[in-house]
Amino acid sequence: MTKPNATPIPFRIFFAVCWSLVVSNANGQLIKDLPTNVQEVGVEQRLGEPLPLNAVFFDERGQKVRLQQFFDGQRPVLVTLNYSDCPMLCSLQLNKLVSALDALDLDVGKDFQIVTISIDPKESPFKAQETKSKYVSILPREGVADGWHFLTGNQESITKIADAVGFRYKFIPETGQYSHAAMLAFCTPEGTISSYLLLIDYPADQVKLGLLAAGGGKIGSLVDNFVLYCSVYNPLEGSYTASAWKIMRLCGAATVVLLLVGLVPYWLGRRKTSADLSDHELPNPTRMNVQHPAGHHSH
């Protein structure tokens, strides 16, 4: 029988990170019962905070770019922090993201962009290109290659973006790997953090609501934005839920509209009836001209 301490270190790290995601709160509070090498791992949500758009990276072609180049003021941007040599969590996360993207009726590159930034300063653009090709190939949609960007950079640039989104990770010297959480950060077209998804599995409806909210009405249909209005972002869970208060308001407004629609014919009918009565009103006897008989004179 295998003893617990014989479990491979990478698996123990992965299990600890997954467990921290389940039981930790949205403020990234440290879980003291976890192993020391993962106690500082988590996500502290920075809602409404701007990203460091002047941070310099290299794209998958080796071209020097600034983060600002991916924020055009029109399309929201989905930001993920991963690294290509991650043994398990990053692959799981990005595979789940691809599944969610495949189920969306929004298109990468057209309606929104994705920026995946490596947290490993030793990762090369060539390695990032290999990783990009892998995920683009399993999401055969037009525009994905142009809309999903894989960036690498030095430690200074990585630290800037990690601090901005509240992404706390830790390098484990014993394994040469990084301990980190799974995170999607939805950002506005201007580069402000709108919401997060702090799950390993990414439901397509949650991804869509995050993009719609970040887009501020610039993407999606009227129906999509109506559904968004009926939802509210819950930072404690890092997801969107139906808002009972908003639904009640909509139901109340709908009731008022239906009552008005039902009463309008009644009011119009009453006005018409009143007008008809006015047209056929009998003469007032007190206003009639009384003619006296011929030859009769009043004294």
Side-chain angles (χ1 to χ4, degrees), residues 12-35:
R12 291 204 309 250
I13 293 172
F14 172 69
F15 177 81
V17 171
C18 294
W19 178 251
S20 71
L21 290 173
V22 174
V23 300
S24 64
N25 60 35
N27 293 324
Q29 184 177 2
L30 299 181
I31 306 300
K32 302 302 182 184
D33 294 335
L34 291 177

Side-chain angles (χ1 to χ4, degrees), residues 173-193:
E174 294 82 2
T175 63
Q177 298 164 7
Y178 291 87
S179 177
H180 64 93
M183 177 210 73
L184 298 183
F186 299 90
C187 304
T188 69
E190 292 75 31
T192 300
I193 301 171

Side-chain angles (χ1 to χ4, degrees), residues 99-149:
S99 297
L101 296 175
D102 192 40
L104 287 182
D105 56 0
L106 300 175
D107 294 317
V108 182
K110 176 184 177 183
D111 299 305
F112 64 98
Q113 297 200 82
I114 305 176
V115 174
T116 294
I117 300 173
S118 174
I119 59 175
D120 183 0
K122 299 187 297 294
E123 183 169 331
S124 67
F126 176 76
K127 185 68 174 181
Q129 176 61 57
E130 285 186 337
T131 305
K132 174 176 179 173
S133 299
K134 171 185 174 181
Y135 292 104
V136 169
S137 66
I138 58 178
L139 185 61
R141 283 195 181 189
E142 185 179 354
V144 175
D146 294 329
W148 194 344
H149 314 277

Side-chain angles (χ1 to χ4, degrees), residues 130-244:
E130 285 186 337
T131 305
K132 174 176 179 173
S133 299
K134 171 185 174 181
Y135 292 104
V136 169
S137 66
I138 58 178
L139 185 61
R141 283 195 181 189
E142 185 179 354
V144 175
D146 294 329
W148 194 344
H149 314 277
F150 284 70
L151 308 183
T152 56
N154 59 31
Q155 189 60 61
E156 181 183 357
S157 295
I158 295 170
T159 300
K160 281 184 179 180
I161 185 67
D163 288 346
V165 299
F167 187 84
R168 297 201 314 270
Y169 64 99
K170 189 176 181 66
F171 181 70
I172 311 299
E174 294 82 2
T175 63
Q177 298 164 7
Y178 291 87
S179 177
H180 64 93
M183 177 210 73
L184 298 183
F186 299 90
C187 304
T188 69
E190 292 75 31
T192 300
I193 301 171
S194 173
S195 64
Y196 292 79
L197 263 183
L198 304 179
L199 308 169
I200 295 178
D201 190 13
Y202 300 119
D205 62 332
Q206 291 290 318
V207 174
K208 185 173 184 178
L209 287 172
L211 289 170
L212 291 173
K218 295 181 179 180
I219 64 172
S221 65
L222 290 176
V223 174
D224 291 335
N225 285 280
F226 174 79
V227 173
L228 175 63
Y229 175 80
C230 295
S231 305
V232 63
Y233 179 66
N234 184 349
L236 294 178
E237 297 181 0
S239 62
Y240 285 85
T241 56
S243 171

